[in-house]
Amino acid sequence: MSITRDEVAHLARLSRLALSDAELDHLAPQLDQIISAVAQVQEVAAEGIPPTSHATGLTNVFREDEPAPCLTPEQALSGAPAVELQRFKVPRILAEE
């Protein structure tokens, strides 16, 4: 099955693509090669082979989510240069209008 220039023009209209005559002449043989390659792949005998999404098996590489003790607010703010209302105090970078 080969794709014709008229079929490429029809597909371009359906896709709302404005293709020039030169582009249609250039794309028709390329799309024909793509369709031939897909047809060739479909001819492969793949019965009994389960479909896969990855070439290798996937394993979870993350560690277990285990609760651990966290810092108290005082410990977290102990190294801060300035603290206000149990928060880091930083210099203002935007002027008020």
Side-chain angles (χ1 to χ4, degrees), residues 4-73:
T4 65
R5 182 185 184 281
D6 292 335
E7 290 171 326
V8 174
H10 180 68
L11 289 172
R13 275 192 303 278
L14 291 175
S15 303
R16 298 183 182 191
L17 296 173
L19 298 178
S20 67
D21 289 336
E23 290 172 322
L24 290 173
D25 292 334
H26 181 72
L27 289 174
Q30 289 182 348
L31 290 174
D32 188 41
Q33 286 180 340
I34 292 170
I35 290 172
S36 297
V38 170
Q40 210 173 14
V41 169
Q42 289 176 338
E43 291 174 4
V44 173
E47 294 176 18
I49 300 173
T52 59
S53 61
H54 298 282
T56 61
L58 296 178
T59 58
N60 188 354
V61 296
F62 299 109
R63 63 172 169 75
E64 291 295 321
D65 189 16
E66 297 174 359
C70 60
L71 298 175
T72 65

